[in-house]
Amino acid sequence: MNAGAKEQIVTPWEVKGNIDYDKLINEFGLEKIDMKFVLDEYEKGNKFFLYTGRAPSGHTHLGHLIPWMFTKWLQDKFDTELWFQFPDEEKFLFKKDLEYEKVQEMVYENMLDVIALGFNPKKTHFLIDTKHAGIMYPEAIKVAKKITFSTVKSAFGFGNEQNIGAIFYTAMQAVPAFLPNILEKNKKPRPCLIPHAIDQDPHFRVSRDVIPKLGYYKPASIQCRFLPGLAGIESDGKMSSSSGDNSTIFTIDNAKTVKKKINKYAFSGGRETVEEHRRLGGIPEIDVSYQWLTFFEEDDKKLKKIYDDYKSGTLLSGELKAILITKLNTFLSAHQKKREKAKDKLDDFIYKC
Amino acid sequence: MNAGAKEQIVTPWEVKGNIDYDKLINEFGLEKIDMKFVLDEYEKGNKFFLYTGRAPSGHTHLGHLIPWMFTKWLQDKFDTELWFQFPDEEKFLFKKDLEYEKVQEMVYENMLDVIALGFNPKKTHFLIDTKHAGIMYPEAIKVAKKITFSTVKSAFGFGNEQNIGAIFYTAMQAVPAFLPNILEKNKKPRPCLIPHAIDQDPHFRVSRDVIPKLGYYKPASIQCRFLPGLAGIESDGKMSSSSGDNSTIFTIDNAKTVKKKINKYAFSGGRETVEEHRRLGGIPEIDVSYQWLTFFEEDDKKLKKIYDDYKSGTLLSGELKAILITKLNTFLSAHQKKREKAKDKLDDFIYKC
């Protein structure tokens, strides 16, 4: 999962053998104390719960799936509760022209993708900010009372022209990190582990200071690196649906679209001519197709062989792209079937107040 | 109700004869167009609804009752729906040491006072922000998106050290001014009339700009002057429970306490000695007991006689105080009985989502 982790590739699907906590902590760039705390508590029988989320504004793309798949892996391995937030006000408040109704459609579409990944319906609870405001807002104000405009100004770079909903919003994002302790008062207070993409870090840096003041455990974070956009690692580093459909593969894209997008837009680390490629070899470090395979190919040996073959010039760019296309379309074909079935499962996942 | 309205005293209890709209508008210092609009719509059969509220932080005092009694008069005269907000996060967010649990107690106590005033249970709906956040927050974010920090900074004098809950709060206060139109979609959109104490004006000045942008009628306000504190008109002008129990009469005060507070703390416009008082007369304009009677004595003729007798020196300060004490204790004795009965009526008033 970590950008510098070429030798040890940890995919969201599986990790073989015993988990090397110290190595993971180091690679994820976490403060050691926090992750250690959560795991120590776990070993003492004080199981953490997981919290992650998705701020809906458009269709789910493959980049969104990375931290969710990692979260599912954590849920499976540790057999934990997961609170999955859909803050349907966030993008609405931060994007001038985004309409409330559009966001509501996307909440639905995004929920299908989350369910399709196979989270345990008995242990997974969706919180949709506007639908669950009745249980979230009373807690958000307690968080909000302890955060000044100065703090969010520096954490998020807000100016005075920022709207007051966006200013308040971080308080809503803090709530699921302790809400389960309130909803299940009969249980012992439990720590919270938050797997999230690195762009959410400012929210959790703010809330990690506040939550202990309210009498709950300081939440621990695991941050994921971004799946690069098709246009390449150097151009933006994050796949974004707002930077155009062609830099993004959506979970609803069909096989033909995937093939076209990869062949046409995936930045290549190959050489100008076949002859030159055979002689000099490709550059996997800048090749988006290879980089994507580091996320989607779970077999370390296969991945190593692809790297070596591409680097040596044995594997051509078109062949590398073909490997990725097959990989993605196999995955998406299965995902889309599960996504259809998810339409009947929403009720099992949306938290009932 | 208006500070300058010595000749024409309009009490919340009753107005005899036809309502002189122009005169009221002038006295209430309203922009004529708004009140006229609401009344014009009313005459066309497009009935307005009323919206007022109480931000709980302590027990209800007599000053709180003034706009509520006026609101009841409006409800009775125009046979309208009333939405009564209890923003139980407001004072919590604005007062550093006020605890959430204390506010929750006071929501209950304050609701009893509102019910005791005799509002129509079929047409009166309580909205408690934390309990009704499920229907209020989704609308508040739409308001909030249209209000910048600059706006609330200048409207409320906020600095960067203000907490983000307090910054957001005005959006929640705007919601009941249009929420009934959303909750009762089958009805034609209706205008909103907001009777409120003048200190709430900044909230409504902000929201009056925003609400029409969301597609609802611009709400109209009627502002009430404050009942002066016992210490006198010049010292603060507003009776405040936070400036000490002795400047305030609470609705739960007993007859003995009321007598003691009026006799000991009500600022007198009387003279140093009885002889001097008989010779020069009292000064009703600065006498708190007389000023309170302008709120609580509904009989214009009786009030006029009290004014004349006090001014001429016929009525002594102690006698004036005795009139007020009798008036208040008669009122409070009845109010406290109704307040007890209100404990069984809460369910009729709290809005069911």
Side-chain angles (χ1 to χ4, degrees):
Chain A
M1 293 291 292
N2 186 280
K6 294 267 157 41
E7 316 80 47
Q8 189 211 343
I9 290 149
V10 179
T11 75
W13 290 271
E14 200 180 359
V15 169
K16 280 153 194 156
N18 289 327
I19 307 151
D20 185 346
Y21 295 146
D22 279 343
K23 199 168 179 185
L24 276 178
I25 289 161
N26 183 43
E27 286 185 359
F28 292 152
L30 285 174
E31 285 177 56
K32 208 163 173 176
I33 193 165
D34 298 318
M35 184 70 188
K36 189 174 182 315
F37 162 75
V38 165
L39 296 169
D40 283 353
E41 290 295 308
Y42 184 85
E43 278 172 16
K44 282 191 269 173
N46 187 16
K47 203 182 273 192
F48 59 85
F49 63 89
L50 291 163
Y51 158 35
T52 194
R54 157 73 176 148
S57 68
H59 276 288
T60 306
H61 59 58
L62 292 178
H64 297 128
L65 299 185
I66 305 300
W68 304 350
M69 287 166 153
F70 179 56
T71 303
K72 175 169 157 38
W73 177 84
L74 287 167
Q75 180 178 61
D76 292 346
K77 289 290 161 187
F78 293 98
D79 187 34
T80 55
E81 302 277 321
L82 163 65
W83 293 81
F84 202 112
Q85 181 186 29
F86 293 89
D88 54 340
E89 81 280 51
E90 181 178 4
K91 296 285 173 64
F92 168 75
L93 289 167
F94 282 91
K95 294 187 173 199
K96 192 168 174 290
D97 296 323
L98 183 62
E99 302 211 337
Y100 187 75
E101 293 67 29
K102 162 85 174 171
V103 174
Q104 294 308 311
E105 278 172 43
M106 289 304 133
V107 173
Y108 173 76
E109 295 292 336
N110 295 168
M111 285 195 296
L112 299 182
D113 286 304
V114 174
I115 294 170
L117 292 181
F119 288 99
N120 181 347
K122 293 208 164 42
K123 299 202 163 193
T124 305
H125 317 284
F126 289 177
L127 290 172
I128 305 159
D129 285 18
T130 65
K131 304 227 168 7
H132 293 89
I135 52 172
M136 293 180 70
Y137 182 72
E139 303 310 320
I141 56 168
K142 294 172 196 166
V143 175
K145 190 173 180 177
K146 297 188 184 301
I147 302 174
T148 64
F149 182 67
S150 287
T151 299
V152 293
K153 195 179 155 115
S154 70
F156 302 101
F158 290 162
N160 284 359
E161 293 316 305
Q162 187 54 267
N163 76 64
I164 62 173
I167 291 167
F168 176 70
Y169 169 71
T170 196
M172 289 293 279
Q173 184 154 333
V175 170
F178 61 93
L179 185 68
N181 289 318
I182 296 165
L183 298 176
E184 304 177 306
K185 275 184 188 156
N186 55 325
K187 291 192 188 171
K188 233 179 96 180
R190 289 153 295 152
C192 172
L193 178 62
I194 313 174
H196 63 83
I198 199 152
D199 62 341
Q200 298 300 306
D201 187 53
H203 284 297
F204 297 115
R205 267 188 289 139
V206 170
S207 63
R208 281 160 57 81
D209 284 345
V210 173
I211 292 169
K213 290 180 194 161
L214 298 175
Y216 306 101
Y217 286 114
K218 181 184 278 206
S221 293
I222 298 185
Q223 301 185 5
C224 303
R225 68 176 171 125
F226 287 117
L227 185 68
L230 288 179
I233 299 158
E234 285 159 325
S235 70
D236 68 350
K238 177 187 176 184
M239 192 199 297
S240 163
S241 45
S242 54
S243 63
D245 283 3
N246 292 332
S247 72
T248 308
I249 288 178
F250 294 102
T251 59
I252 56 165
D253 281 348
N254 63 29
K256 210 177 138 186
T257 305
V258 171
K259 188 177 177 184
K260 194 188 119 189
K261 283 183 179 176
I262 299 292
N263 280 332
K264 194 162 176 186
Y265 300 106
F267 184 83
S268 170
R271 305 293 173 172
E272 291 286 302
T273 63
V274 172
E275 186 280 326
E276 204 182 335
H277 191 88
R278 294 282 186 218
R279 186 162 47 88
L280 299 171
I283 310 166
E285 288 76 9
I286 61 162
D287 190 288
V288 167
S289 299
Y290 174 75
Q291 291 301 323
W292 279 35
L293 283 168
T294 68
F295 286 88
F296 290 99
E297 175 53 69
E298 65 266 39
D299 185 327
D300 287 3
K301 281 184 189 159
K302 274 192 192 172
L303 192 65
K304 176 77 165 59
K305 188 167 173 354
I306 292 166
Y307 180 89
D308 292 342
D309 289 352
Y310 195 57
K311 190 102 183 165
S312 69
T314 313
L315 193 67
L316 297 175
S317 285
E319 292 165 341
L320 176 61
K321 286 190 172 190
I323 293 170
L324 178 65
I325 290 164
T326 303
K327 193 88 209 163
L328 293 182
N329 279 335
T330 305
F331 169 76
L332 284 175
S333 162
H335 183 79
Q336 286 162 8
K337 284 192 191 91
K338 291 180 218 156
R339 211 177 171 280
E340 275 306 301
K341 286 184 189 153
K343 290 177 181 173
D344 298 327
K345 296 181 186 170
L346 286 162
D347 259 11
D348 300 339
F349 284 88
I350 297 169
Y351 183 74
K352 276 158 209 77
C353 302
Chain B
M1 294 290 294
N2 186 280
K6 295 266 156 43
E7 318 79 46
Q8 188 211 346
I9 291 151
V10 179
T11 75
W13 289 270
E14 199 180 359
V15 169
K16 278 151 195 159
N18 290 326
I19 305 152
D20 183 342
Y21 296 148
D22 278 344
K23 198 167 180 186
L24 275 178
I25 289 161
N26 184 43
E27 287 186 358
F28 291 152
L30 285 174
E31 285 178 56
K32 208 164 173 175
I33 193 164
D34 298 318
M35 185 69 187
K36 187 171 184 315
F37 163 74
V38 165
L39 296 170
D40 283 353
E41 289 295 309
Y42 184 85
E43 277 172 16
K44 282 189 270 175
N46 188 16
K47 201 182 273 193
F48 58 86
F49 63 89
L50 292 163
Y51 157 35
T52 194
R54 157 73 175 148
S57 68
H59 276 287
T60 308
H61 59 59
L62 292 178
H64 297 128
L65 298 186
I66 305 299
W68 304 350
M69 286 165 155
F70 179 55
T71 303
K72 176 171 157 35
W73 177 85
L74 287 166
Q75 180 177 62
D76 291 346
K77 289 289 160 187
F78 293 97
D79 188 32
T80 56
E81 302 277 322
L82 164 65
W83 293 79
F84 202 112
Q85 181 187 29
F86 294 89
D88 54 341
E89 81 280 53
E90 181 178 3
K91 296 285 173 65
F92 169 74
L93 289 167
F94 283 90
K95 295 187 172 198
K96 194 169 174 287
D97 296 324
L98 183 61
E99 302 211 339
Y100 187 75
E101 292 66 28
K102 163 84 173 170
V103 173
Q104 294 308 312
E105 278 172 45
M106 290 304 134
V107 173
Y108 173 76
E109 295 291 337
N110 295 168
M111 286 194 297
L112 298 182
D113 286 303
V114 174
I115 295 170
L117 292 181
F119 288 99
N120 181 347
K122 293 209 164 40
K123 299 203 162 194
T124 305
H125 317 284
F126 290 177
L127 291 172
I128 305 160
D129 285 17
T130 65
K131 305 226 168 5
H132 293 90
I135 53 173
M136 294 180 69
Y137 182 72
E139 304 310 320
I141 57 168
K142 295 171 195 166
V143 175
K145 190 173 179 175
K146 299 189 183 297
I147 303 174
T148 64
F149 182 67
S150 287
T151 300
V152 293
K153 193 179 155 116
S154 70
F156 303 101
F158 290 161
N160 284 358
E161 295 314 306
Q162 188 53 269
N163 76 64
I164 62 173
I167 290 168
F168 175 70
Y169 168 70
T170 194
M172 289 292 281
Q173 185 154 332
V175 170
F178 61 94
L179 185 68
N181 288 318
I182 296 166
L183 298 177
E184 303 178 304
K185 275 183 187 158
N186 55 325
K187 292 192 189 172
K188 235 179 95 179
R190 287 153 297 153
C192 172
L193 179 62
I194 312 173
H196 62 83
I198 199 151
D199 62 342
Q200 298 301 304
D201 188 51
H203 284 297
F204 296 115
R205 267 188 289 138
V206 169
S207 63
R208 279 161 55 82
D209 285 345
V210 173
I211 290 169
K213 292 181 193 162
L214 298 176
Y216 306 101
Y217 287 114
K218 183 184 277 207
S221 294
I222 298 186
Q223 302 186 5
C224 302
R225 68 175 171 125
F226 287 117
L227 185 69
L230 288 179
I233 299 159
E234 285 160 323
S235 70
D236 68 351
K238 176 187 176 185
M239 191 198 298
S240 164
S241 45
S242 54
S243 63
D245 283 2
N246 292 332
S247 71
T248 309
I249 288 177
F250 294 102
T251 59
I252 56 165
D253 281 348
N254 63 30
K256 209 176 140 188
T257 305
V258 170
K259 188 177 177 183
K260 193 187 119 191
K261 283 184 179 175
I262 298 291
N263 280 333
K264 193 161 176 187
Y265 300 107
F267 185 82
S268 171
R271 305 292 174 173
E272 292 285 302
T273 62
V274 172
E275 187 279 326
E276 203 181 336
H277 190 89
R278 295 281 186 219
R279 184 160 50 85
L280 299 171
I283 310 165
E285 289 76 8
I286 60 163
D287 190 290
V288 168
S289 298
Y290 174 75
Q291 291 301 324
W292 278 36
L293 282 168
T294 69
F295 287 88
F296 290 98
E297 175 52 69
E298 67 265 42
D299 186 328
D300 287 4
K301 281 185 189 158
K302 274 193 191 171
L303 192 64
K304 177 76 165 60
K305 186 165 175 358
I306 292 167
Y307 180 88
D308 291 342
D309 288 353
Y310 195 57
K311 191 100 182 165
S312 69
T314 313
L315 193 67
L316 297 175
S317 285
E319 292 164 339
L320 177 59
K321 285 190 174 190
I323 294 170
L324 177 65
I325 290 164
T326 303
K327 193 86 207 163
L328 292 182
N329 278 335
T330 305
F331 168 76
L332 285 177
S333 163
H335 182 79
Q336 287 163 7
K337 282 190 192 92
K338 292 181 217 152
R339 211 178 171 280
E340 275 305 302
K341 285 184 190 154
K343 291 178 181 173
D344 299 326
K345 296 181 186 169
L346 286 162
D347 259 11
D348 300 337
F349 285 89
I350 298 170
Y351 182 73
K352 276 159 207 77
C353 302

